[in-house]
């Protein structure tokens, strides 16, 4: 337990300096470390590595943003003595816990804020692979594949399935906003709607029409932003029309922002996007107040020139301080994670503990 | 006839009066060496051994007798014991099994069945699990190529050739008919009966048929390690049911003038257990295969100078794959593929003198693929091979050289196809035998070789890339061989080879920004040493001991990009060390054999991290058999205890292999 010793050595230092710097930073109430085999600093970043198909090599990497030094490549294994499974699809943090869908293993797991598993759910055979997560009011909402696919309503404490509602064919991302869930009906590339579900009645209330093949969907500043991947172009070996659209939360009117993105994330009044294209990766930001799109790069690549032409796989923003985390992948070796401040300045690069780092969650 | 069969099969004993001479030897020697023998006149007193020593190309041979004595369980089980070979085994009873030679992809291995290459233009690799061991007379693996220059041109195109030679019946006792029935049963619900019937037609011709049936539940237990937790699990969806049948006709005027005709049919249905997915054991993939071919070979010595050999083959195969999963629009997906191959070859050999001969050969193949997957191209491929070869044999030296030219063009009614491709590949081999009375030899081999992109590489859905070029490789081999007798050792053979292979333009699946694409980009450097040995030691007058073994050291590293995380990392599934061995004790009471095979750790993915590692293993097996005569029939009873230490291992990670199991068989020769 090398890391454990390391933390034991460093922890008093961190704690004392934290106390010294800000006496109000004692946030143990926001964390649940019961059953943890290791001591962890209070600021925590957990990165989900999807792994490669069939490899049972999805895992969870711990990173301490405060020092940038403590990295545990597979904290799920460290804490639970077993492996996470095959294809970790999505991770969210909700209250003091983390929830992870492991798609090919067909399971949903609940971890406390130290990565200790406290509950798990095997998705019943009648539903397809679990995909993406949203949470509100002690409920976890999960999309599962199928034709039709479903959104499952799951008790956040014991992970029991309380209800399900049918949506389109093979739904992917899901976002929550104001008693409503927004689900992209990919139709495996042929869908063109976002399903809207009322969380109170748990009924489908509308299918909002968007561009073909909707996928990523987020909520920022009370509106929804969705990327439609468009159709595959066999000449360019890619999806050329990954257009970002805004869905007005009140009217459900869809506006094309006129920019392309592979990944999006939101923080306060800003939507951030990265578009994997050749020869150079493109970036945009959208200001939700001024409704202005900027195609300036929001990250400073002076120290990381390799990022100008990389394949980005993750764009996650720490909701507590706006720090931006991106990852790159080659799909077969461990991905690299880059940590930036919200102003775009570079802090740290490290190799993740697995292949395809796709999402990060944060405890402050 | 039928009545007789029924009697044999049901009663498992035979009450008929004729004894067919026990199998002794069939063609352990290559045709080159059997000039004086004819089919009717073979009288074998001493066991003949294949010449694997005084030969420029590393050659390993296993005969039917050895296969039976060591109790190998199938073609793949016998082949994986060759040095320098890795059989990729996806577990289970009916699992896919492909052959890799010296760090090459399986696509670099040609599989020849009675002298004609078995094609698979769609995927490029041949699943050897579909061949039955029951009618195999000899298995051999030659690296580089065969020393016989009287070959089809296509045979020269691969980095190595796995030769399956079927057993030819002998009618030594003067009887016109021979019948052999075998019933085998093994763990996991395996039932495997087989039958051979042979008949002499007149003085110069014969025909024989083989039929084999195999079924298995395939549900076997295994131990699954998940982190620190080990659980007992069962392998499901690993069932198999297959039929194999073959008919042969031979007309032989003399040894250098013959005509052979074969018709082969194979049909199987199997569950594909897939890799073990943690927390989810629900796999529903199934595969149906049908394979039919007919091949003819005609060989004629036209004059003292010229000999002609002509081959023709037609193959039809179809496969159906089905998977059930909610992710498919209708809850299931079915893919059907049909492949056709028409192939013909003509080779002309000129024997200018005792020491110098030359050959020229030309082959043509037409391959088609029809698939029902969306946007399938249904391509047709026309391949032409042309080769010239020469061989010079002197007392101290044998020199073989050849030049192969390949031309490939494709067409499709539906879309644009890949541009025509051509390749010129030379090879040179030499063996020096400095001493007349000591069989100590030095050998050298260089071969330029390649593998063509398959239809899948070029055209499969989004992955295929029609701009692919052939993947090319250079093979170098330096070896030393010796065979002879020592004071108490009747026969001893040792071969040691050092080799290096450079692979360029390796065809790899590379992720582009949005999709995986087949691309020519990898560079691999493979360096290794193969050592093999065998010895026969008579312990007493009646008890003899046979020892055999092999060891391979192999460094196969990715040298594509010095800045990459995988630079100089061992390529996936290439162990540094692999080894095998066998001990056979022949006594008047019975024969007992012990075999082992093992490899060191391997990596699943290009990056050599601990998470990507799969442990090494050693598998030990025991076999015993006894032959006896009962009611005028020659019976053979054999039992095997496979993996008796119950080692839990994976050849391919998360494809667990069975633990300890048994096999029992009874063979009746009438």
């Amino acid at each position: 337990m090398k890391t454990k010793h390391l933390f034991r050595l460093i922890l008093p230092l961190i704690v004392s300096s934290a106390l010294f710097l800000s006496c109000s930073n004692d946030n143990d109430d926001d964390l649940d470390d019961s059953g943890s085999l290791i001591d962890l600093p209070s600021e925590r970043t957990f990165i989900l590595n999807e792994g490669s198909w069939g490899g049972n090599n999805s895992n969870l990497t711990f990173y301490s943003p405060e020092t940038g030094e403590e990295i545990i490549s597979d904290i799920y294994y460290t804490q639970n003595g077993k492996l996470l499974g095959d294809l970790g699809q999505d991770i969210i943090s909700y209250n003091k816990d983390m929830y992870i869908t492991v798609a090919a293993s067909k399971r949903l797991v609940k971890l406390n804020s130290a990565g200790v598993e406290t509950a798990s759910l095997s998705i019943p055979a009648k539903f397809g692979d679990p995909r993406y997560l949203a949470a509100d009011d002690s409920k976890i909402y999960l999309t599962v594949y199928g034709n039709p696919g479903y959104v499952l309503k799951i008790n956040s404490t014991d992970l029991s399935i309380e209800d399900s509602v049918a949506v389109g064919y093979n739904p992917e991302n899901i976002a929550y906003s104001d008693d409503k869930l927004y689900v992209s009906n990919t139709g495996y590339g042929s869908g063109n709607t976002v399903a809207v579900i009322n969380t109170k009645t748990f009924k489908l209330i509308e299918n909002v029409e968007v561009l073909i093949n909707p996928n990523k969907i987020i909520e920022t500043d009370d509106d929804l932003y969705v990327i439609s991947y468009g159709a595959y172009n066999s000449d360019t070996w890619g999806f050329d029309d990954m257009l970002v659209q805004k869905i007005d939360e009140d009217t459900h009117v869809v506006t094309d922002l006129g920019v392309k993105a592979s990944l999006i994330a939101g923080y306060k009044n800003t939507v951030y996007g990265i578009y994997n294209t050749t020869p150079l990766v493109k970036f945009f930001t959208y200001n939700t107040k001024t409704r202005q799109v900027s195609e300036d790069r929001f990250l400073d690549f002076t120290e990381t020139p390799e990022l100008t032409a990389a394949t980005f796989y993750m764009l996650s923003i720490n909701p507590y301080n706006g720090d931006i985390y991106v990852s790159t992948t080659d799909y077969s070796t461990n991905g690299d994670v880059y940590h930036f401040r919200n102003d775009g300045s570079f802090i740290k690069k490290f190799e993740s503990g697995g292949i395809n780092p796709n999402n990060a969650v944060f405890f402050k | 006839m039928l009545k007789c069969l029924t009697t044999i099969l049901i009663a498992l004993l035979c009450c008929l009066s004729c004894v067919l001479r026990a199998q002794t030897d069939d063609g352990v020697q290559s045709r080159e060496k059997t000039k004086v023998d004819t089919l009717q006149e073979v009288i074998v007193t001493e066991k003949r051994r294949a010449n694997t020593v005084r030969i420029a190309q590393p050659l390993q041979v296993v005969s039917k007798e050895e296969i039976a004595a060591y109790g190998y369980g199938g073609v793949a089980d016998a082949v994986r014991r060759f040095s320098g070979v890795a059989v990729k085994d996806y577990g289970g009873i009916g699992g896919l099994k492909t052959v890799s030679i010296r760090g090459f992809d399986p696509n670099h291995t040609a599989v020849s069945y009675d002298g004609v290459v078995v094609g698979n233009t769609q995927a490029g690799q041949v699943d050897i699990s579909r061949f039955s061991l029951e009618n195999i007379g000899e298995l051999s693996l030659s690296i580089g190529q065969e020393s016989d220059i009287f070959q089809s041109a296509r045979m020269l195109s691969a980095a190595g050739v796995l030769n399956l030679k079927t057993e030819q019946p002998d009618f030594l006792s003067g009887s016109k008919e021979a019948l052999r029935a075998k019933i085998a049963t093994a763990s996991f619900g395996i039932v495997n009966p087989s039958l051979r019937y042979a008949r002499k037609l007149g003085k110069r011709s014969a025909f024989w048929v083989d039929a084999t049936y195999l079924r298995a539940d395939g549900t076997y237990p295994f131990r699954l390690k998940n982190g620190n937790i080990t659980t007992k699990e069962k392998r499901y969806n690993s069932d198999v049911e297959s039929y194999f049948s073959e008919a042969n006709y031979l007309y032989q005027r003399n040894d250098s003038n013959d005509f052979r005709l074969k018709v082969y049919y194979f049909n199987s249905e199997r569950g594909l257990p897939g890799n073990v997915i943690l927390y989810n054991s629900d796999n529903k993939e199934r595969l149906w295969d049908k394979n039919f071919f007919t091949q003819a070979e005609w060989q004629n010595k036209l004059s003292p100078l010229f000999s002609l050999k002509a081959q023709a083959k037609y193959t039809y195969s179809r496969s159906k794959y089905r998977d059930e999963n909610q992710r498919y629009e209708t809850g299931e997906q079915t893919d059907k593929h049909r492949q056709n191959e028409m192939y013909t070859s003509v080779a002309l050999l000129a024997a200018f003198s005792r020491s110098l001969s030359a050959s020229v050969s030309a082959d043509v193949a037409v391959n088609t693929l029809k698939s029902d997957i969306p946007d399938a191209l249904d391509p047709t491929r026309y391949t032409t091979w042309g080769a010239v070869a020469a061989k010079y044999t002197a007392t101290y030296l044998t020199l073989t050289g050849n030049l192969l030219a390949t031309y490939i063009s494709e067409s499709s009614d539906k879309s644009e196809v890949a541009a025509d491709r051509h390749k010129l590949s030379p090879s040179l081999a030499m063996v020096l035998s400095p001493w007349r009375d000591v069989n100590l030899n030095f050998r050298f081999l260089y071969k330029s070789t390649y593998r063509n992109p398959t239809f899948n590489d070029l055209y499969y859905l989004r992955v295929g890339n029609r701009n692919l070029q052939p993947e090319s490789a250079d093979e170098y081999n330096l070896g030393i061989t010796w065979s002879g007798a020592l004071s108490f050792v009747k026969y001893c053979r040792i071969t040691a080879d050092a080799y290096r292979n450079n692979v360029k333009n390796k065809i790899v699946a590379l992720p582009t920004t949005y999709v995986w694409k087949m691309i020519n980009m990898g560079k691999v450097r493979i360096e290794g040493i193969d050592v093999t040995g065998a010895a026969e030691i008579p312990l007493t007058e009646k008890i003899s001991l046979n020892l055999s073994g092999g060891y391979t050291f192999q460094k196969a590293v990715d040298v594509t990009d010095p800045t990459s995380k995988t630079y100089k990392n061992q390529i996936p599934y290439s162990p540094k060390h692999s080894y095998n061995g066998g001990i056979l004790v022949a006594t008047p009471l019975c024969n007992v054999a012990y075999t082992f095979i093992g490899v060191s750790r391997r990596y699943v993915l290009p990056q050599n991290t601990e998470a990507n590692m799969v442990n090494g293993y050693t598998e030990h097996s025991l076999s015993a058999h006894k032959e006896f005569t009962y009611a005028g029939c020659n019976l053979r009873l054999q039992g095997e205890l496979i993996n008796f230490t119950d080692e839990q291992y994976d050849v391919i990670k998360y494809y667990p292999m069975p633990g300890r199991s048994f096999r029992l068989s009874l063979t009746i020769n009438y």
Side-chain angles (χ1 to χ4, degrees):
Chain A
M1 258 321 105
K2 224 168 157 187
T3 25
K4 192 172 170 177
H5 290 302
L6 199 71
F7 281 122
R8 283 202 173 136
L9 283 172
I10 287 168
L11 198 72
L13 234 138
I14 296 167
V15 172
S16 53
S17 56
L19 282 173
F20 179 74
L21 288 170
S22 107
C23 292
S24 64
N25 201 15
D26 185 9
N27 51 13
D28 279 358
D29 292 348
D30 298 335
L31 297 170
D32 172 10
D33 284 358
S34 47
S36 177
L37 302 173
I38 48 177
D39 296 323
L40 295 171
S42 59
E43 281 192 37
R44 301 170 187 184
T45 300
F46 292 92
I47 296 146
L48 178 65
N49 300 299
E50 191 172 302
S52 55
W53 184 79
N56 291 311
N57 54 356
S58 177
N59 60 21
L60 190 65
T61 297
F62 170 82
Y63 166 74
S64 158
E66 215 166 5
T67 65
E69 296 308 318
E70 287 72 66
I71 294 159
I72 301 171
S73 60
D74 188 356
I75 194 171
Y76 181 84
Y77 171 69
T78 307
Q79 295 284 35
N80 304 291
K82 56 183 182 177
L83 306 180
L84 187 56
D86 199 38
L87 296 184
Q89 197 67 40
D90 197 16
I91 182 169
I92 58 168
S93 59
Y94 181 61
N95 296 335
K96 297 175 183 179
D97 299 301
M98 295 182 275
Y99 297 83
I100 300 174
T101 52
V102 192
S105 289
K106 282 194 82 168
R107 68 194 289 247
L108 169 68
V109 291
K110 179 186 178 183
L111 313 179
N112 69 16
S113 27
V116 176
E117 184 174 313
T118 53
S120 76
L121 167 72
S122 280
I123 307 302
K126 62 178 171 175
F127 299 116
D129 294 353
R131 304 299 295 174
Y132 290 86
L133 296 160
D136 180 63
D137 195 22
S138 300
K139 304 298 171 204
I140 301 297
Y141 297 101
L142 166 67
T143 55
V144 292
Y145 266 172
N147 189 17
Y150 287 86
V151 175
L152 307 185
K153 182 178 171 182
I154 293 164
N155 184 307
S156 69
T157 311
D158 62 3
L159 299 189
S160 58
I161 299 174
E162 294 182 347
D163 205 351
S164 66
V165 57
V167 288
Y169 172 35
N170 284 359
E172 290 279 8
N173 278 248
I174 181 168
Y176 170 84
S177 179
D178 191 25
D179 292 343
K180 285 191 226 80
L181 294 165
Y182 295 81
V183 178
S184 43
N185 292 322
T186 67
Y188 231 24
S190 62
N192 68 337
T193 54
V194 167
V196 185
I197 295 157
N198 182 320
T199 54
K200 298 293 170 212
T201 61
F202 210 56
K203 294 273 187 286
L204 179 74
I205 51 175
E206 194 185 345
N207 277 314
V208 178
E209 201 167 306
V210 292
L211 294 169
I212 193 167
N213 200 4
N215 201 299
K216 301 262 191 261
I217 187 162
I218 60 163
E219 179 273 330
T220 296
D221 195 22
D222 293 338
D223 282 317
L224 284 304
Y225 297 86
V226 57
I227 310 175
S228 285
Y229 280 3
Y232 174 75
N233 181 335
S234 60
D235 294 325
T236 58
W237 299 355
F239 296 90
D240 296 341
D241 299 306
M242 309 180 91
L243 290 161
V244 183
Q245 302 139 84
K246 172 178 168 178
I247 304 175
D248 186 284
E249 194 203 51
D250 302 318
T251 63
H252 293 172
V253 170
V254 179
T255 322
D256 185 347
L257 295 188
V259 282
K260 295 179 183 180
S262 318
L263 304 163
I264 48 171
Y267 178 65
K268 289 184 177 164
N269 309 328
T270 310
V271 177
Y272 298 82
I274 300 178
Y275 179 45
N276 284 320
T277 186
T278 51
L280 296 175
V281 185
K282 290 182 178 166
F283 297 81
F284 83 86
T285 49
Y286 173 75
N287 186 312
T288 59
K289 298 289 182 234
T290 65
R291 303 187 175 183
Q292 291 300 306
V293 170
S294 158
E295 298 204 41
D296 294 339
R297 199 166 66 200
F298 51 85
L299 301 173
D300 180 359
F301 288 169
T302 318
E303 290 175 71
T304 57
E306 72 273 17
L307 285 179
T308 54
T311 300
F312 286 82
Y313 208 69
M314 169 177 93
L315 170 62
S316 289
I317 300 178
N318 183 335
Y320 305 109
N321 61 13
D323 278 9
I324 299 170
Y325 291 76
V326 295
S327 82
T328 60
T329 184
D330 65 3
Y331 304 90
S332 73
T333 63
N334 289 348
D336 289 319
V337 177
Y338 297 78
H339 175 193
F340 292 87
R341 282 197 191 87
N342 191 254
D343 64 9
S345 57
F346 173 72
I347 299 175
K348 170 94 181 166
K349 169 190 176 180
F350 58 95
E351 185 175 306
S352 196
I355 297 163
N356 295 337
N358 64 9
N359 214 333
V361 296
F362 309 90
F363 293 95
K364 59 178 173 187
Chain B
M1 182 61 216
L2 254 178
K3 215 171 166 183
C4 169
L5 281 185
T6 323
T7 318
I8 290 169
L9 284 171
I10 293 171
L12 286 177
L13 43 88
C14 176
C15 333
L16 302 164
S17 59
C18 198
V19 182
L20 184 79
R21 199 182 167 285
Q23 296 298 324
T24 47
D25 178 54
D26 10 61
V28 185
Q29 273 189 325
S30 65
R31 184 173 289 156
E32 262 189 320
K33 297 263 289 174
T34 49
K35 290 254 169 3
V36 290
D37 300 330
T38 65
L39 179 71
Q40 291 86 348
E41 290 165 323
V42 176
I43 295 163
V44 183
T45 49
E46 180 77 345
K47 191 168 133 188
R48 268 196 237 115
R49 289 189 179 83
N51 173 15
T52 57
V53 173
R54 200 166 188 151
I55 183 172
Q57 296 83 359
L59 173 70
Q60 297 169 76
V61 180
V62 56
S63 67
K64 182 167 192 73
E65 292 68 44
E66 290 169 283
I67 290 169
Y70 285 113
Y72 300 148
V75 172
D77 190 29
V79 169
R80 68 182 176 140
R81 293 163 203 273
F82 287 138
S83 288
V85 163
V87 171
K88 285 197 176 155
D89 188 332
Y90 292 80
I93 312 307
L96 174 74
K97 294 166 180 71
T98 63
V99 185
S100 285
I101 295 173
R102 288 187 171 177
F104 286 118
D105 280 345
N107 304 50
H108 280 277
T109 309
V111 176
S112 129
Y113 193 72
D114 276 337
V116 184
V117 173
V118 179
N120 181 355
T121 316
Q122 184 188 3
Q125 37 193 323
V126 178
D127 177 9
I128 59 168
S129 75
R130 75 163 205 242
F131 298 106
S132 163
L133 197 56
E134 296 313 321
N135 66 328
I136 294 295
E138 178 190 297
L139 286 172
S140 66
L141 182 94
S142 59
I143 293 167
Q145 66 216 39
E146 295 206 66
S147 60
D148 184 359
I149 61 166
F150 196 25
Q151 293 275 2
S152 67
R154 189 184 191 177
M155 202 82 105
L156 302 171
S157 65
V161 182
L162 173 67
N163 276 301
L164 290 88
K165 264 188 212 160
T166 60
E167 181 189 3
Q168 201 168 298
D170 51 7
F171 298 99
L172 286 168
S173 62
S175 76
K176 279 184 178 297
E177 270 186 319
L179 183 66
R180 184 171 69 210
K182 181 177 175 184
I183 176 95
T185 180
S187 307
F188 325 126
I190 296 175
V191 178
N192 185 199
S194 61
L195 193 71
R196 160 171 276 224
Y197 172 72
R199 190 181 173 87
K200 210 157 103 177
L201 306 166
K203 240 187 138 174
R204 297 194 167 118
S205 58
F207 103 99
W208 58 98
V209 289
D210 289 286
T212 301
Y213 170 78
L214 170 73
R215 72 155 309 271
D217 307 329
T219 307
Y220 58 84
F222 68 97
R223 295 185 297 278
L224 177 65
K225 191 168 179 287
N226 175 3
N228 307 333
I229 303 157
T230 301
T231 52
K232 284 187 176 170
E233 308 278 336
K234 275 198 168 163
R235 197 78 167 123
Y236 293 108
N237 197 34
S238 177
D239 60 295
V240 63
E241 181 169 32
S242 69
Y243 309 87
F244 151 85
S245 59
E246 186 179 304
N248 286 277
Y249 171 79
L250 167 71
Y251 174 82
Q252 190 161 37
R253 209 165 68 209
N254 55 49
D255 182 57
S256 44
N257 292 277
D258 62 26
F259 173 78
R260 286 153 198 274
L261 179 70
K262 181 193 291 289
V263 179
Y264 166 105
Y265 182 69
F266 170 82
N267 184 357
S268 87
E269 177 185 345
R270 50 188 154 167
L272 301 176
N275 70 314
V276 170
I277 300 290
L278 296 176
Y279 314 105
N280 179 7
S281 59
D282 189 30
N283 199 333
K284 297 196 176 80
E285 291 172 288
R286 291 195 82 70
L287 184 68
W288 290 261
D289 274 313
K290 279 184 172 50
N291 195 293
F292 166 85
F293 70 76
T294 177
Q295 70 186 44
E297 184 183 280
W298 176 67
Q299 199 176 166
N300 198 359
K301 195 161 187 176
L302 303 170
S303 71
L305 180 62
F306 291 112
S307 298
L308 188 72
K309 180 152 83 177
Q311 295 175 329
K313 183 176 183 176
Y314 169 73
T315 310
Y316 172 77
S317 62
R318 57 192 290 178
S319 70
K320 184 173 98 176
Y321 162 89
R322 195 184 72 206
D323 187 22
E324 289 173 39
N325 193 303
Q326 285 93 341
R327 81 169 71 96
Y328 306 119
E329 201 156 2
T330 58
E332 68 163 64
Q333 175 156 333
T334 309
D335 295 340
K336 290 180 191 161
H337 304 282
R338 276 177 294 153
Q339 286 191 85
N340 266 293
E341 178 176 292
M342 276 169 288
Y343 167 77
T344 180
S345 163
V346 180
L348 183 72
L349 176 77
F352 299 112
S353 69
R354 208 172 255 275
S355 57
L356 186 66
S357 57
S359 73
V360 50
S361 50
D363 300 19
V364 181
V366 181
N367 290 83
T368 62
L369 169 67
K370 285 202 188 318
S371 308
D372 72 343
I373 51 174
D375 305 322
L377 220 58
D378 295 348
T380 302
R381 172 181 288 185
Y382 307 88
T383 316
T384 316
W385 296 267
V388 287
K391 185 172 184 173
Y392 173 76
T393 315
T395 318
Y396 303 109
L397 170 85
T398 303
L399 206 60
T400 322
N402 72 56
L403 185 65
L404 169 74
T406 313
Y407 192 87
I408 299 166
S409 74
E410 275 151 25
S411 72
S412 164
D413 298 337
K414 298 191 179 169
S415 171
E416 206 182 315
V417 292
D420 293 357
R421 298 180 293 280
H422 53 86
K423 192 87 191 161
L424 212 56
S425 30
S427 117
L428 189 69
M430 182 173 72
V431 58
L432 284 170
S433 315
W435 296 279
R436 199 182 274 269
D437 45 359
V438 180
N439 199 357
L440 180 66
N441 312 279
F442 301 93
R443 59 189 179 190
F444 165 77
L445 167 80
Y446 163 75
K447 181 167 183 173
S448 159
T449 180
Y450 66 94
R451 88 156 178 94
N452 256 307
T454 63
F455 281 154
N456 283 351
D457 295 336
L458 293 164
Y459 307 120
Y460 188 71
L461 294 176
R462 291 172 183 180
V463 182
N465 174 7
R466 64 196 62 173
N467 299 320
L468 286 177
Q469 289 300 309
E471 170 180 323
S472 54
D474 288 313
E475 287 179 278
Y476 301 89
N477 188 79
L478 259 176
I480 178 166
T481 66
W482 175 78
S483 78
L486 296 169
S487 59
F488 60 95
V489 181
K490 193 171 154 197
Y491 169 81
C492 184
R493 169 176 56 78
I494 295 168
T495 71
D497 290 276
Y499 61 87
R500 176 165 181 165
N501 302 326
N502 293 325
V503 182
K504 283 174 303 199
N505 269 340
K506 190 173 162 69
I507 298 172
V508 291
L510 198 77
T512 63
T513 314
Y514 299 107
V515 289
W516 289 76
K517 269 283 169 198
M518 303 309 295
I519 284 176
N520 286 107
M521 81 157 280
K523 268 193 199 165
V524 178
R525 191 169 67 219
I526 304 151
E527 288 161 337
I529 293 167
D530 280 349
V531 181
T532 71
E536 189 181 331
I537 306 164
L539 296 177
T540 70
E541 190 114 315
K542 286 183 174 165
I543 300 174
S544 74
L545 179 70
N546 279 275
L547 304 170
S548 67
Y551 165 77
T552 296
F553 169 79
Q554 185 177 274
K555 209 177 134 192
V557 294
D558 170 19
V559 289
T560 310
D561 174 11
T563 64
S564 127
K565 288 178 185 177
T566 62
Y567 187 66
K568 294 208 169 163
N569 279 204
Q570 194 86 355
I571 60 169
Y573 291 111
S574 48
K576 269 201 176 136
H577 308 277
S578 25
Y579 45 89
N580 67 84
I583 301 170
L584 174 66
V585 185
T587 72
L589 189 65
C590 72
N591 289 353
V592 181
Y594 157 73
T595 58
F596 67 92
I597 178 166
V599 298
S600 64
R601 68 170 179 225
R602 294 139 296 148
Y603 295 94
V604 180
L605 291 170
Q607 196 177 14
N608 291 179
T609 60
E610 207 182 316
N612 290 339
M613 197 181 82
V614 51
N615 288 328
Y617 64 86
T618 307
E619 187 197 87
H620 305 264
S621 297
L622 279 175
S623 170
H625 75 264
K626 180 163 178 59
E627 288 184 25
F628 52 96
T629 310
Y630 181 80
C633 279
N634 190 295
L635 303 176
R636 179 193 174 100
L637 188 63
Q638 178 146 0
E640 283 127 36
L641 192 58
I642 304 143
N643 190 5
F644 63 80
T645 59
D646 204 21
E647 175 104 337
Q648 182 65 63
Y649 69 96
D650 296 359
V651 176
I652 305 294
K653 196 173 188 186
Y654 290 117
Y655 284 81
M657 300 297 289
R660 185 187 301 122
S661 68
F662 75 91
R663 187 165 49 227
L664 265 179
S665 67
L666 178 70
T667 310
I668 304 165
N669 277 302
Y670 156 63

